[in-house]
Amino acid sequence: MERRQIRLGLVGYGEVGSGLGTGLRQEGLKAIAAYDIGAFEGPFSALIQERARTAGVTLVSSPAELALAADYIISAVPGSESVTAARAYRDHLGPQHVYVDIASATPSVKRRVAEALEPSGAAVGDGGIMGSPLQDGHRVLIKASGPAAPAFHDALSPWNMRIDVVSPTLGAGSGIKIVRSVVMKGMEALFLECALASERHGIQDEVFESICAFMDARPFMDTVRFLLRTDVIHAERRAEEAGMSADALDEVGLEPVMTRSTARTLQRVADLHLKQQFGGLVPDDYKTAVEAVDRRLRAAELR
Amino acid sequence: MERRQIRLGLVGYGEVGSGLGTGLRQEGLKAIAAYDIGAFEGPFSALIQERARTAGVTLVSSPAELALAADYIISAVPGSESVTAARAYRDHLGPQHVYVDIASATPSVKRRVAEALEPSGAAVGDGGIMGSPLQDGHRVLIKASGPAAPAFHDALSPWNMRIDVVSPTLGAGSGIKIVRSVVMKGMEALFLECALASERHGIQDEVFESICAFMDARPFMDTVRFLLRTDVIHAERRAEEAGMSADALDEVGLEPVMTRSTARTLQRVADLHLKQQFGGLVPDDYKTAVEAVDRRLRAAELR
């Protein structure tokens, strides 16, 4: 695809917005405007103005001005502000606009963004940022979806943004990001709980060495498959072991927040009695195991 | 080390005990006796007798008999029964005995095992099994510790048991196993929660592909270090994101057991205000981050 100068607007000029603005200006994109509610008053106004001036990004003073200055608009506000931000643009956008919300938020938030903008006729898309915009700037990988995703991709990929269009369904890209975080943020919490317990038990190096020896011996997906396939058979025994792990944390005065939830989650699987359904045999495919758990959970909900 | 015929006793002849007995007999160890409370009555007695007969392991009918038949005793009962099992041997063991408990249990359980056996004068050790005795039989890796660990290692390593003596402190080997399970069992619960959410959001393949792309790009310990180092700086933002992940589960009718605990764990770190202590800069070393969290947690407990 050829580089085509477009008029870009950034809603929110925090870490993500300024990372995009700075990087895209360096790539040679000329017209970048930004609107941030904290740009002219509040504790971060000086920082925002400085960042914009250094990058060569024009700060505008209202959503109406941003809509006039830009055809492609990327919203990079906190997810809790996504819908409010979108509402401020409803009366200023038209069918010539492409509006893509890349905040970390649930698919339903993105659907409410689209609903808010529907009267304007603008094309709406959403995206989930995979990785760190602080490290990678405008080159951070974005999983994009929704009606506007292809246009977003075509206009900005030539400027070295990494946009992966995953689905025409609005919210899918954001969903990948936010569901991925179940594991990514969950691991952070697990590692911390494990590190604190290891430290207090005086075995920090040994514990992580042992975990890494297992994890580095195979591709990560093999571990995912192994644990999910065996989960439906061995959940009860593992729930008991997780309970003892929690006891080991209690013994050194640490509240086993993650580990008690682990025991509860595994016990909940044990209580579904899938071991009987599978005749005590580990299923060949992890999806078979997950679907079996899901079916029983849904059945339990309906009861 | 040379192979020396020893008289081995197994306390508990379930999956672990029978795995050890079968494998060690095949290696050529001649004298193996086992005592299991379910060997002669109860639902598993036929199975236990069959396994022992096939392996060539002698089932004895009391702890007293086992103590007479063996010098090295390995206890492989469920962790909840470790102390009760040890008490049954107190009056039958003497200073000539080595008694090693390899159940999955906390270090304090292993200390109570040692206390129970102290009057006998037997040397006591403990171990934690790393991996699957079902898969690896007597070759499963055991992290051993306590006063009897070296003798246990020297007597059984020549018979191809994999015994790693990690500490003279009783309970250390078991602690490694049980604290390691914070992560290993925790990941199982995280993967399940993530897989269920991905399935219901219709993005199962994409989510795990994205996670694996990140995890397989670097050694596991690099991820551990990265998440723990940055945790003290970015916990607040990540707690908010985990909260949104939990919302994304609620939206599809899944109880976000692990993800709510993740949000709570990360928020708890945010509330320690370590970002200020580190001047907003990510510490170079993950242990610095963990120790800082631990210090504040201890200070909060004392308050």
Side-chain angles (χ1 to χ4, degrees), chain A residues 15 79-80 104-109 111-112 130 134-135 143 164 166 172 175-201 203-212 214-216 218-221 223-224 226-228 230-232 234-235 237-238 241-242 244-245 247-249 251 253-255 257-259 261-262 264-266 268-269 286-287 290-291 293-294 297-298 301, chain B residues 15 79-80 104-109 111-112 130 134-135 143 164 166 172 175-201 203-212 214-216 218-221 223-224 226-228 230-231 234-235 237-238 241-242 244-245 247-249 251 253-255 257-259 261-262 264-266 268-269 286-287 290-291 293-294 297-298 301:
Chain A
E15 286 184 353
S80 53
S104 289
T106 67
S108 86
V109 165
R111 285 192 289 271
R112 279 185 280 142
M130 310 283 156
L134 273 179
Q135 275 177 22
K143 298 275 182 185
D164 185 8
V166 292
I176 292 166
K177 164 61 179 279
I178 212 73
V179 174
R180 174 191 200 257
S181 288
V182 169
V183 169
M184 299 306 295
K185 303 295 173 280
M187 285 201 297
E188 180 169 334
L190 285 182
F191 295 162
L192 180 67
E193 196 156 303
C194 183
L196 290 167
S198 303
E199 193 192 30
R200 292 201 186 180
H201 276 286
I203 49 179
Q204 191 172 54
D205 293 331
E206 283 276 2
V207 169
F208 278 113
E209 273 165 25
S210 166
I211 293 167
C212 292
F214 182 88
M215 298 304 297
D216 287 331
R218 52 194 64 85
F220 196 75
M221 195 63 209
T223 302
V224 173
F226 170 73
L227 292 178
L228 290 178
T230 54
D231 182 54
V232 289
H234 299 306
R237 181 162 53 76
R238 292 176 182 170
E241 191 170 319
M244 284 186 285
S245 297
D247 293 345
L249 269 66
E251 282 175 13
L254 287 166
E255 191 189 347
V257 178
M258 295 301 291
T259 308
S261 289
T262 297
R264 201 181 137 212
T265 300
L266 299 181
R268 218 177 155 206
V269 175
Y286 83 96
K287 288 188 182 177
V290 172
E291 282 160 17
V293 171
D294 201 18
L297 286 179
R298 286 179 197 265
E301 279 159 23
Chain B
E15 285 184 353
S80 53
S104 289
T106 67
S108 88
V109 165
R111 285 192 289 271
R112 277 184 281 143
M130 312 282 157
L134 274 179
Q135 275 176 23
K143 298 275 182 185
D164 185 9
V166 292
I176 292 167
K177 165 61 178 281
I178 212 71
V179 173
R180 175 191 200 257
S181 288
V182 169
V183 169
M184 298 306 294
K185 303 295 173 280
M187 284 200 299
E188 180 169 334
L190 285 182
F191 295 162
L192 180 66
E193 196 156 304
C194 183
L196 290 167
S198 302
E199 193 192 29
R200 293 203 186 178
H201 276 285
I203 49 178
Q204 192 172 53
D205 293 330
E206 283 276 2
V207 169
F208 278 113
E209 274 166 25
S210 166
I211 293 167
C212 292
F214 182 88
M215 297 305 296
D216 286 332
R218 52 193 65 84
F220 196 75
M221 195 63 208
T223 303
V224 173
F226 169 73
L227 292 178
L228 290 178
T230 53
D231 182 55
H234 298 307
R237 180 162 55 76
R238 291 175 181 170
E241 193 172 317
M244 285 187 283
S245 297
D247 293 345
L249 269 66
E251 282 175 13
L254 288 167
E255 191 189 348
V257 177
M258 296 300 292
T259 309
S261 289
T262 297
R264 201 182 137 211
T265 301
L266 299 181
R268 217 176 156 207
V269 175
Y286 84 95
K287 288 188 182 178
V290 172
E291 282 160 18
V293 171
D294 200 19
L297 286 179
R298 285 180 197 266
E301 279 159 23

Side-chain angles (χ1 to χ4, degrees), chain B residues 93 145 232:
Chain B
L93 300 186
S145 54
V232 290

Side-chain angles (χ1 to χ4, degrees), chain B:
Chain B
M1 272 162 295
E2 221 176 323
R3 284 191 166 192
R4 180 169 59 87
Q5 288 290 344
I6 58 165
R7 298 190 309 149
L8 182 67
L10 296 166
V11 179
Y13 204 69
E15 285 184 353
V16 177
S18 73
L20 293 178
T22 303
L24 289 169
R25 285 284 299 143
Q26 285 168 355
E27 292 280 351
L29 191 62
K30 289 176 187 165
I32 308 184
Y35 174 69
D36 190 299
I37 50 167
F40 299 106
E41 55 182 14
F44 300 109
S45 56
L47 178 66
I48 292 171
Q49 289 177 40
E50 173 60 25
R51 279 178 174 166
R53 190 172 50 245
T54 308
V57 166
T58 309
L59 283 177
V60 298
S61 56
S62 72
E65 277 186 63
L66 193 76
L68 281 174
D71 303 305
Y72 291 82
I73 296 178
I74 300 176
S75 177
V77 297
S80 53
E81 298 302 316
S82 276
V83 177
T84 307
R87 282 187 189 136
Y89 289 84
R90 170 165 42 189
D91 298 334
H92 308 297
L93 300 186
Q96 76 278 19
H97 284 103
V98 165
Y99 187 102
V100 177
D101 182 308
I102 62 168
S104 289
T106 67
S108 88
V109 165
K110 303 301 171 97
R111 285 192 289 271
R112 277 184 281 143
V113 164
E115 278 161 26
L117 293 173
E118 204 179 0
S120 73
V124 177
D126 74 289
I129 297 173
M130 312 282 157
S132 163
L134 274 179
Q135 275 176 23
D136 302 331
H138 68 294
R139 290 195 189 85
V140 72
L141 178 63
I142 297 175
K143 298 275 182 185
S145 54
F152 175 54
H153 170 273
D154 293 352
L156 286 155
S157 295
W159 301 97
N160 282 333
M161 279 186 69
R162 288 171 60 215
I163 296 161
D164 185 9
V165 178
V166 292
S167 170
T169 307
L170 196 94
S174 303
I176 292 167
K177 165 61 178 281
I178 212 71
V179 173
R180 175 191 200 257
S181 288
V182 169
V183 169
M184 298 306 294
K185 303 295 173 280
M187 284 200 299
E188 180 169 334
L190 285 182
F191 295 162
L192 180 66
E193 196 156 304
C194 183
L196 290 167
S198 302
E199 193 192 29
R200 293 203 186 178
H201 276 285
I203 49 178
Q204 192 172 53
D205 293 330
E206 283 276 2
V207 169
F208 278 113
E209 274 166 25
S210 166
I211 293 167
C212 292
F214 182 88
M215 297 305 296
D216 286 332
R218 52 193 65 84
F220 196 75
M221 195 63 208
D222 285 4
T223 303
V224 173
R225 282 194 202 99
F226 169 73
L227 292 178
L228 290 178
R229 286 173 57 225
T230 53
D231 182 55
V232 290
I233 305 299
H234 298 307
E236 177 110 42
R237 180 162 55 76
R238 291 175 181 170
E240 284 168 17
E241 193 172 317
M244 285 187 283
S245 297
D247 293 345
L249 269 66
D250 278 331
E251 282 175 13
V252 288
L254 288 167
E255 191 189 348
V257 177
M258 296 300 292
T259 309
R260 287 274 176 238
S261 289
T262 297
R264 201 182 137 211
T265 301
L266 299 181
Q267 187 57 49
R268 217 176 156 207
V269 175
D271 292 344
L272 298 176
H273 303 297
L274 289 162
K275 190 171 178 174
Q276 287 87 324
Q277 179 184 320
F278 286 108
L281 298 172
V282 173
D284 289 334
D285 178 9
Y286 84 95
K287 288 188 182 178
T288 307
V290 172
E291 282 160 18
V293 171
D294 200 19
R295 251 195 312 278
R296 293 264 165 120
L297 286 179
R298 285 180 197 266
E301 279 159 23
L302 296 176
R303 218 171 289 145

